[in-house]
Amino acid sequence: MPNGSPPRPIKIGLAGLGNVGAGVFKNIQKNAALIQQRTGADLQIVQVAVRDLGKPRDVEVPAEMLTTDWRDLVNNPELQIIVELIGGTGQAFELVSAALKARKIVVTGNKALLAEHGKELFALAEQCGMPIYFESAVAGGIPIIQALQEGLVGNHIQSIHGIINGTCNYILTRMSQAGLTYEAALQEAQEKGFAEADPYLDVSGWDAAHKAIILASLSYGFWIPQADVYVEGIDKVSATDIEFARRLGYTIKLLSVIRADAQGRVEVRTQPSMVPNSHVLASVSGSFNAVVVQGDIVGETLFYGRGAGQDPTSSSVISDLCDAAAILIYGFRHTGFVPHGLYGKSKPIDETVSHYYLRLLVKDEPGVLAQVATVLGQRNIGISSVMQPEDLASETGTIPLFLMIHDASLGQMRAAVEAISGLGCVTEAPSWMRVETLG
Ligand code: HSE
């Protein structure tokens, strides 16, 4: 616990138990011990507003916690935080406004709501002295909002280039890599829970445009009017365009571009764009998002991660809940090192496991590979491939032998390399290094 005292219960009302809401409910429980140790808060969802009580759900919520009227959350004096995940801009606007007026902290993932009503809602939040947190509104699990608000706070933002709609990126990736039709790829994205309830918002480009408005507004300090934003969707991108782009060395992405010109005028647009394959954004595939932010002091920074889906998006909501809890408990956002007892041991380096590359210089004679393989086999080390390029044989009768090794511990490898060095057929000290699978 940050201050050594028992975790403080924080009572939360959750409006919306769809894909993301269910993820928040589930993951708060899954990582409760960690969250308590790190934040000193026991996050408790005590009331949940849903549209339809009978709908089958991913998570089991006790019936007594459910209500069909979000006003019950606002009117519940026990609740300190209200999480708005109902989507849309009608009831969500009423709910967020009412929650602020009832002096409750608001956490929302609703990008359409903020893009349309951000100006009024933040003015109301200021007036009520209650914060609104919205990390999950942009780029799913990527903490891009905190990055702009905190990590890059000292920079003039010169530009932002982002792939910020997971559904469109998934569709374009599946069309280009698996040859799927647009319709089939969209259906897959819907089945995986990436798409909005109304996928028109995704494929029309508007979901990304809403997120671009939020990023631009945070970066430039005024709410960008929706009417000033240029938006084009991916529905007209054909398999033929994708193929010709590929031949020309480009990948088609739904790209959001935000930048200020020398006169301080801000450009915000979202449209299908050809991105050169040499640029890191071209390799952002599937439901992944990436945001490249150029700041005048920091230079170029890259944020990458899953931009849609239940778990990544709920990770951002939980981050907001922890920030809100810190305000309630300590009066300020808790930062810095927090000791806790859930881990606490270093792994001995000899027990760490990875793949390995091993290069030997050996005598060019029969039986050499068998000797090397025996040493490795005796230590239970598997070989995944072997290469002995004849063109590298030397006139003195030696030849390099390259081996790729399956998972082995450093201890096993050290012992094996020492034994291999001692073989009469090995004529110089072996060269070896880890091959990282980056998983
Ligand atoms: N439908 C959105 C997307 C979900 O595909 O990116 C995350 O905002």
Side-chain angles (χ1 to χ4, degrees):
M1 234 59 58
N3 57 9
S5 36
R8 178 97 77 84
I10 300 292
K11 309 281 185 187
I12 300 162
L14 174 61
L17 198 57
N19 191 38
V20 178
V24 174
F25 195 87
K26 173 186 80 175
N27 287 319
I28 274 186
Q29 290 170 20
K30 174 173 176 276
N31 284 0
L34 179 72
I35 294 167
Q36 287 175 18
Q37 296 263 359
R38 283 205 175 131
T39 65
D42 176 12
L43 301 179
Q44 299 178 0
I45 296 178
V46 296
Q47 198 170 22
V48 180
V50 294
R51 215 171 324 207
D52 174 3
L53 288 174
K55 193 176 160 190
R57 303 184 188 282
D58 281 3
V59 286
E60 268 184 43
V61 179
E64 63 276 13
M65 279 171 57
L66 293 173
T67 170
T68 50
D69 188 351
W70 56 260
R71 288 171 192 82
D72 290 344
L73 307 187
V74 173
N75 294 330
N76 182 343
E78 193 191 18
L79 300 181
Q80 298 157 289
I81 307 173
I82 294 196
V83 182
E84 183 278 304
L85 295 172
I86 61 177
T89 56
Q91 291 211 359
F93 178 73
E94 286 179 52
L95 164 58
V96 169
S97 308
L100 292 169
K101 287 179 191 158
R103 299 290 189 271
K104 308 212 186 272
I105 297 180
V106 170
V107 171
T108 178
N110 192 332
K111 46 263 167 178
L113 177 69
L114 297 182
E116 203 169 302
H117 295 293
K119 193 171 176 181
E120 301 150 77
L121 287 176
F122 281 90
L124 181 62
E126 180 83 32
Q127 204 183 312
C128 299
M130 300 312 290
I132 302 175
Y133 293 95
F134 52 102
E135 186 61 74
S136 63
V138 182
I142 305 176
I144 186 66
I145 301 298
Q146 274 191 21
L148 288 172
Q149 288 174 328
E150 295 170 27
L152 302 176
V153 67
N155 285 260
H156 283 285
I157 302 301
Q158 294 166 317
S159 65
I160 299 179
H161 291 84
I163 294 172
I164 49 178
N165 183 271
T167 301
C168 290
N169 204 44
Y170 184 87
I171 293 172
L172 292 172
T173 303
R174 295 290 285 155
M175 285 174 74
S176 71
Q177 292 180 3
L180 257 64
T181 60
Y182 169 84
E183 289 77 16
L186 171 59
Q187 195 183 333
E188 273 191 9
Q190 286 177 287
E191 283 163 7
K192 287 179 184 289
F194 304 148
E196 295 299 301
D198 174 4
Y200 168 79
L201 272 173
D202 295 302
V203 298
S204 65
W206 268 107
D207 177 81
H210 289 147
K211 294 166 181 167
I213 288 173
I214 296 172
L215 294 179
S217 304
L218 274 184
S219 301
Y220 296 110
F222 70 99
W223 282 95
I224 310 284
Q226 288 201 59
D228 293 354
V229 172
Y230 178 79
V231 188
E232 247 184 76
I234 61 161
D235 42 347
K236 292 190 193 64
V237 177
S238 68
T240 315
D241 296 326
I242 290 173
E243 172 56 16
F244 274 90
R246 194 184 62 76
R247 288 191 200 181
L248 293 165
Y250 292 88
T251 303
I252 298 181
K253 294 291 181 194
L254 183 74
L255 197 69
S256 296
V257 178
I258 299 160
R259 64 181 156 215
D261 69 12
Q263 287 76 46
R265 295 175 308 169
V266 178
E267 160 188 348
V268 182
R269 57 189 167 85
T270 291
Q271 69 279 290
S273 307
M274 284 171 53
V275 176
N277 286 338
S278 56
H279 193 279
V280 67
L281 287 179
S283 62
V284 175
S285 301
S287 70
F288 279 90
N289 281 191
V291 187
V292 178
V293 183
Q294 179 87 31
D296 65 337
I297 309 175
V298 70
E300 193 169 85
T301 56
L302 169 68
F303 302 85
Y304 171 80
R306 290 204 184 272
Q310 183 175 77
D311 286 339
T313 312
S314 66
S315 164
S316 287
V317 175
I318 293 171
S319 152
D320 282 347
L321 287 172
C322 292
D323 275 356
I327 298 283
L328 291 166
I329 300 172
Y330 311 104
F332 55 86
R333 189 171 171 270
H334 188 82
T335 55
F337 174 73
V338 179
H340 66 76
L342 298 178
Y343 297 87
K345 274 204 184 84
S346 306
K347 185 166 180 166
I349 195 71
D350 265 352
E351 290 177 25
T352 60
V353 171
S354 63
H355 295 194
Y356 282 91
Y357 153 94
L358 172 62
R359 176 173 61 80
L360 306 172
L361 192 65
V362 296
K363 291 183 182 158
D364 194 2
E365 57 190 30
V368 167
L369 182 58
Q371 289 179 53
V372 172
T374 302
V375 171
L376 293 169
Q378 282 165 347
R379 284 159 185 80
N380 212 17
I381 297 175
I383 301 170
S384 60
S385 65
V386 175
M387 213 173 37
Q388 194 172 42
E390 287 302 325
D391 57 316
L392 295 182
S394 81
E395 284 169 5
T396 56
T398 59
I399 187 164
L401 178 64
F402 300 91
L403 297 107
M404 298 299 276
I405 306 287
H406 275 305
D407 276 344
S409 71
L410 180 62
Q412 282 172 294
M413 278 302 287
R414 278 183 169 148
V417 170
E418 196 183 323
I420 288 169
S421 307
L423 293 174
C425 58
V426 174
T427 64
E428 82 175 24
S431 170
W432 55 298
M433 72 176 92
R434 289 184 192 258
V435 178
E436 298 296 350
T437 45
L438 301 172

